[in-house]
Amino acid sequence: MKNVILNNGIEMPILGFGVFQVPDAVECEQCVYDAITTGYRSIDTATAYLNEEAVGKAIKRSGVPREDLFITTKLWIQDSGYENAMKAFKKSLKNLQLDYLDLYLIHQPFGDYYGSWRAMEELYKAGKIRAIGVSNFAGDRLVDLILYNEIVPAVNQVETHPFCQQVEVKKVMEEFKVQIESWGSLAQGKNDIFKNEILSAISDKYGKTVAQVILRWHIQRGVVAIPKSVHKERIVENYDVWNFQLSEEDMAAIQSLDTGKPFIDHKSVSTVKRLNGIKIHE
Ligand code: NAP
């Protein structure tokens, strides 16, 4: 496993495992267990996925020492603000049966996220979280948060895949030493990505699958990827990306697939309304 070094010096695996849209507790526990026994050490969940408890059970069942794992969860909008964030953090730790987190992210750039950030800075300084970061922050919101606060986010997790390569925001993140992490690493299978002509031609050339080519492309761009699958054979497939290297020509061919448009536009009013409307507890 290759690691990236975050801006506070801690290491994070460049390839991890995500559990969005795995609401069934039994299925979630099983796929996280399969991922850890396959070799993944980084797991990405969120309070809003409603599966932290299942992730916690899988971690325990795996028997892998806590210090060998890198566990991320995220703070939902409903829990934004200093006091709420403090409470939500404690609840997440309890759900996960952990006594510290490796990475805690502000899930969305909405609500009182400046208050949330102050709570997270405190928890970080108290040694309860090894790194703090954000998700879905466009360059403008990210830079304002950085310039207004003491601690620079270690990570910004944004929608990143061949159809949405985040070229501009990646440059901003590089300038401020914020690690880019991709969500929707496999474009959630949308736009027939696994049958895409350019990606299929490249996959034939290396004797690899399209999913493996996409993950290799993320890794070679220095982007942390966290593909999700509930199928053991795909979990294994997505982890088997270390024994080949895409040529510059193939990297450029994949670059040509960028539309510059995300599936979810965080700048649109309808997205702000929709996501603020999602309540995960009373
Ligand atoms: P994704 O990983 O891009 O794609 C998952 C989809 O691809 C599933 O339908 C999966 O199906 C399929 N798949 C996986 N491996 C495959 C393979 N080798 N061949 C063919 N199909 C394959 O989508 P995602 O889950 O949305 O994103 C990844 C992670 O990012 C999430 O799980 C979550 O942790 C995080 N995320 C964060 C945010 C945020 O706002 N911060 C938003 C979305 C996601 P099966 O499961 O049926 O195998």
Side-chain angles (χ1 to χ4, degrees), residues 52-72:
E52 287 176 324
E53 287 185 21
V55 171
K57 283 187 187 163
I59 292 170
K60 225 171 190 176
R61 188 172 136 207
S62 77
V64 171
R66 172 68 186 94
E67 62 274 19
D68 292 350
L69 296 169
F70 190 100
I71 308 299
T72 302

Side-chain angles (χ1 to χ4, degrees), residues 18-20 44 49 74 107-108 135-136 157 183-189 194 211 226-231 234 237-238:
V19 292
F20 179 44
D44 181 89
Y49 303 167
K74 315 185 190 83
H107 202 149
Q108 305 289 350
S135 178
N136 297 308
Q157 184 183 108
W183 69 252
S185 310
L186 300 172
Q188 302 181 322
F194 298 115
I226 45 169
K228 166 262 177 187
S229 176
V230 292
H231 296 99
R234 289 178 176 172
E237 173 189 330
N238 294 346

Side-chain angles (χ1 to χ4, degrees), residues 17 30-41 43 235 239:
F17 183 74
Q30 188 58 43
C31 70
V32 173
Y33 178 80
D34 288 342
I36 296 175
T37 51
T38 296
Y40 294 81
R41 290 294 174 262
I43 308 293
I235 292 171
Y239 191 70

